[in-house]
Amino acid sequence: MTSIFRRCVAAGAVAAVAAFASAGVALAATTSGPAGRTTPSETWQHVHDRVAKALSDRQTTLAQLTASTGSNQDLTATDRQVLQSLLGPETQGINQLAATVAAATPQNTTIAQLRQDAVTMVDQYRVYLVMAPKVHLSEAADTQTDVEVRLSGLEPRLQDAIARAGHPSDAVQAYGDLLTQVSNATSTTGKADVPAVLQVSPPGYPADGAPLASARTSLQAAQNDLKSARSDIRIIRNAIQQGKASSQAGATG
Amino acid sequence: MHIRWLAVAGAMALATTPALAACSTAPAHPAGGTPSDGAGTPGEPAAAPGERLVPDASPSWSLLGPSGSAISDADLARIDQGLSDATNALIGADQDAIHDESGDSAP
């Protein structure tokens, strides 16, 4: 009987220690305070600070995007107007959410509510994955279009210069490549569907995000063509300069 | 009476002469060529040191460098700036695409 009693006491002690240990592990898995202990308010503060920081970062990004949209001289009037009409409410919404979180206290807001604010911040606004790409891709498309127009405007001038230099072979070859590169770039930039990019909605992402990836691919390909065209101009210029230098040397020699 | 009018007219002429002189010598565009000569738009550098403006049938080709370059540096600078801006915009788009928002939604 005594033996049975002792066994029961021992088993109870083991169970108690195990229960205490598991409770300790559970506490350690959350946030521990300065003294190694965790209180509910510290956990609440941790969640609150993370949400507030994430909102603050988005406010900074939106301010940068708004400034860029306002100052970029290559954006078309339509694209600028659409972007500003999207950035305004987006900024207003994030600001409102940030104010709500800033005013939250452990007494009036639960952790679950804070987590819901974080979900809203991401799913409803998508500052990084939708809004920022909209601005960046629109800027890239409009800027590249401007460069293509400028390069096309130089083509007759280059042709004239090559003719006046006596058609140096390097220049003629580079000019042919330039025409191809500018034509390809213009066509490929046109495939970047900016109106479709601007219609991608944060709540609809990622299901409706295909135009972002598609535009990105087209713009990169077109940009490579434009850089090749720029290199062609360098080759043409050098060929003309070398031809002139050699003809001058021949005249003086 | 006539002498008084002559004095007033003379004073006015003296007062306006410096302003007229300033107008006649001031460049149309403070730091650059005129838009029509292909040498740059307002605020952009025109001929670099050593370059010269020469008469030409084609005004847009009037800027010739000493080595015979056929396009103004301002033209190329605009293109280079555009390419740089477009490159930066796509870099920005790349950085957007790799951003992981999943952690933010589950603090």
Side-chain angles (χ1 to χ4, degrees):
Chain A
M1 183 68 188
T2 307
S3 172
I4 292 172
F5 178 73
R6 278 182 185 168
R7 281 181 190 172
C8 286
V9 169
V14 168
V17 168
F20 184 80
S22 67
V25 168
L27 283 173
T30 58
T31 309
S32 55
R37 290 185 173 182
T38 304
T39 65
S41 66
E42 282 174 329
T43 303
W44 185 94
Q45 194 64 48
H46 170 75
V47 173
H48 175 269
D49 290 351
R50 282 200 61 178
V51 179
K53 172 73 165 55
L55 283 163
S56 173
D57 290 346
R58 282 162 174 78
Q59 286 175 309
T60 301
T61 298
L62 286 170
Q64 290 168 345
L65 294 172
T66 302
S68 177
T69 302
S71 65
N72 189 307
Q73 296 187 349
D74 293 325
L75 272 177
T76 65
T78 303
D79 289 347
R80 190 192 317 279
Q81 189 179 11
V82 172
L83 286 170
Q84 286 175 339
S85 72
L86 295 170
L87 283 164
E90 176 113 343
T91 302
Q92 198 175 3
I94 289 290
N95 286 347
Q96 197 170 356
L97 209 51
T100 301
V101 170
T105 65
Q107 287 71 40
N108 64 18
T109 307
T110 64
I111 288 177
Q113 286 173 317
L114 288 173
R115 289 188 196 280
Q116 185 52 49
D117 288 339
V119 170
T120 302
M121 169 188 73
V122 171
D123 291 350
Q124 291 299 309
Y125 296 103
R126 298 272 186 202
V127 173
Y128 299 126
L129 290 178
V130 174
M131 200 62 237
K134 281 183 176 187
V135 172
H136 289 138
L137 293 173
S138 300
E139 288 181 339
D142 290 350
T143 303
Q144 288 182 198
T145 300
D146 180 72
V147 170
E148 286 153 9
V149 170
R150 291 185 187 282
L151 284 171
S152 297
L154 293 184
E155 286 171 0
R157 297 199 220 168
L158 286 167
Q159 192 176 24
D160 187 31
I162 292 167
R164 287 200 287 161
H167 297 95
S169 61
D170 286 352
V172 172
Q173 191 175 352
Y175 181 71
D177 187 68
L178 169 85
L179 295 179
T180 303
Q181 300 292 352
V182 174
S183 174
N184 287 346
T186 304
S187 169
T188 311
T189 296
K191 289 177 185 167
D193 192 347
V194 175
V197 165
L198 294 174
Q199 281 186 349
V200 175
S201 66
Y205 187 88
D208 68 350
L212 298 176
S214 172
R216 171 72 185 78
T217 303
S218 296
L219 290 170
Q220 182 62 69
Q223 197 173 100
N224 293 339
D225 293 338
L226 291 174
K227 287 175 180 173
S228 295
R230 179 64 181 90
S231 296
D232 288 332
I233 292 178
R234 203 168 287 120
I235 292 169
I236 293 167
R237 203 173 190 180
N238 289 341
I240 291 173
Q241 287 173 347
Q242 284 171 4
K244 189 166 178 102
S246 59
S247 65
Q248 285 174 345
T252 55
Chain B
M1 184 64 181
H2 288 293
I3 292 172
R4 185 176 296 169
W5 278 111
L6 282 171
V8 170
M12 287 177 66
L14 284 172
T16 54
T17 299
L20 288 172
C23 287
S24 64
T25 55
H29 301 291
T34 60
S36 60
D37 66 10
T41 48
E44 290 176 334
E51 290 184 320
R52 59 198 168 85
L53 285 166
V54 296
D56 192 291
S58 172
S60 62
W61 281 94
S62 61
L63 183 64
L64 295 177
S67 54
S69 62
I71 294 179
S72 77
D73 289 338
D75 289 333
L76 296 178
R78 283 196 211 106
I79 289 169
D80 289 342
Q81 183 63 51
L83 281 174
S84 174
D85 291 344
T87 300
N88 288 334
L90 283 191
I91 289 172
D94 286 344
Q95 290 171 342
D96 302 333
I98 62 171
H99 197 96
D100 181 14
E101 289 186 313
S102 60
D104 292 343
S105 64

